[in-house]
Amino acid sequence: MAMKLKEVVPLGRSFDEYRLMFNLSKSDLEKRIIGVGDGPASFNAEMNEMGRPVTSIDPIYFFSAKDIAQKFNKVFDNIIEQVKNTPGDWTWTYHMSPDDLREHRSEALTKFTQDFEQGKKDGRYLRGELPNLNFPDHTFDIALCSHFLFLYSDHYDYDFHKSAVYEMLRVSKEVRIFPILDLMLNRSPHLEPLIDQLRADGYRVVIKKVPYEIQRGGNEMMWIFNKSEGKMLPI
Ligand SMILES: C[S@@+](CC[C@H](N)C(=O)[O-])C[C@H]1O[C@@H](n2cnc3c(N)ncnc32)[C@H](O)[C@@H]1O
């Protein structure tokens, strides 16, 4: 047993974790980026500090920073408890232990909450949700989605995943999704049918190994290129 969650939980990762999970290069970081389902990650706050504003979308941005922190605190102890009870299911190379993980998630939450109200005013945090993104076609170069699609495969069916991915491909030249495992550490059952569908529709799809792992075996991301982007496959 890896992890049982009744609903999607608002846990956030840092800039450094995003960089590794999504294999983001220096030049990627200069592109127009949208983080879909960014929740209380500190990626947006840290990118903004570096002078590279990005757009984050999440339904949870309806709430205040204080409410989001409360939601995080409500579920967090139980998550760390489940992690401690399933030691064989986790890889301690980036985070060194469950307590180290606790510290990293709390740090990300703090950076997010400190940035959130200003970021909302700047239009960097927008309330929105898949499978509909309120942007014109091709607004972004890179759409990122971590720890939502595929991870919650029991909660969202194939049709949701398909609509969500095609919507991200509508607004962005390329899409990167991490991880491709579900909460029970199995490859998502939606992955292969979705790859087949995307390839049949002419998209380039790559499953790329990345230098980040916490779920045991969860060190791959799905990388999808819009038809016009296929020529410059960076692998
Ligand atoms: C586990 S958190 C991951 C946050 C961030 N991407 C990260 O990896 O640090 C999952 C996020 O997905 C968001 N979410 C739930 N339903 C969504 C939807 N339909 N569209 C986009 N995001 C959604 C949740 O509010 C939550 O913040």
Side-chain angles (χ1 to χ4, degrees):
M1 204 251 352
M3 178 81 56
K4 280 196 176 147
L5 298 171
K6 269 197 255 153
E7 52 190 42
V8 181
V9 296
L11 288 198
R13 286 145 197 90
S14 64
F15 164 79
D16 196 47
E17 289 177 274
Y18 266 57
R19 187 178 62 79
L20 297 171
M21 291 186 298
F22 292 120
N23 211 42
L24 291 167
S25 65
K26 268 192 179 166
S27 62
D28 287 337
L29 295 174
E30 281 156 19
K31 294 182 178 166
R32 296 167 303 167
I33 298 179
I34 178 171
V36 182
D38 266 351
S42 58
F43 177 68
N44 189 317
E46 293 182 74
M47 282 289 279
N48 193 52
E49 249 176 46
M50 291 182 260
R52 295 170 177 151
V54 300
T55 303
S56 293
I57 297 293
D58 200 296
I60 212 174
Y61 298 155
F62 167 74
F63 299 100
S64 67
K66 194 171 152 215
D67 289 344
I68 295 173
Q70 259 170 13
K71 285 177 188 297
F72 171 99
N73 286 322
K74 207 169 142 200
V75 294
F76 195 44
D77 283 344
N78 171 264
I79 286 174
I80 296 293
E81 200 54 36
Q82 289 199 50
V83 169
K84 285 184 175 171
N85 289 339
T86 52
D89 291 346
W90 310 96
T91 301
W92 301 113
T93 46
Y94 185 87
H95 312 283
M96 292 306 162
S97 66
D99 290 326
D100 196 35
L101 171 65
R102 172 190 289 277
E103 205 155 301
H104 288 155
R105 291 287 168 272
S106 301
E107 271 171 27
L109 177 74
T110 302
K111 284 185 185 152
F112 164 80
T113 51
Q114 286 169 351
D115 181 54
F116 184 57
E117 296 307 331
Q118 183 58 48
K120 261 210 288 200
K121 286 185 198 142
D122 296 346
R124 288 185 286 112
Y125 296 105
L126 298 170
R127 179 188 177 190
E129 61 189 299
L130 290 169
N132 296 111
L133 299 172
N134 196 13
F135 296 98
D137 295 357
H138 318 302
T139 304
F140 300 97
D141 298 309
I142 305 178
L144 306 174
C145 185
S146 90
H147 295 88
F148 173 57
L149 292 173
F150 298 133
L151 186 65
Y152 289 92
S153 287
D154 272 359
H155 302 65
Y156 294 92
D157 64 11
Y158 173 74
D159 286 341
F160 178 87
H161 277 72
K162 183 178 158 196
S163 307
V165 167
Y166 276 79
E167 179 68 347
M168 286 193 286
L169 284 164
R170 182 185 68 74
V171 302
S172 178
K173 288 181 185 167
E174 59 167 89
V175 170
R176 305 185 194 187
I177 304 172
F178 180 92
I180 56 174
L181 301 186
D182 63 18
L183 287 165
M184 303 309 280
L185 309 188
N186 300 312
R187 264 197 174 200
S188 163
H190 308 319
L191 184 72
E192 290 305 328
L194 189 51
I195 292 176
D196 290 346
Q197 181 68 60
L198 286 160
R199 285 186 177 149
D201 287 340
Y203 293 93
R204 302 291 303 269
V205 185
V206 176
I207 299 299
K208 167 107 181 131
K209 201 165 177 196
V210 296
Y212 179 87
E213 183 175 344
I214 175 161
Q215 287 178 295
R216 188 167 291 279
N219 61 350
E220 291 174 302
M221 73 156 168
M222 186 189 201
W223 201 344
I224 313 160
F225 299 86
N226 243 308
K227 295 163 200 179
S228 55
E229 300 302 306
K231 284 178 260 111
M232 31 160 293
L233 262 187
I235 48 162

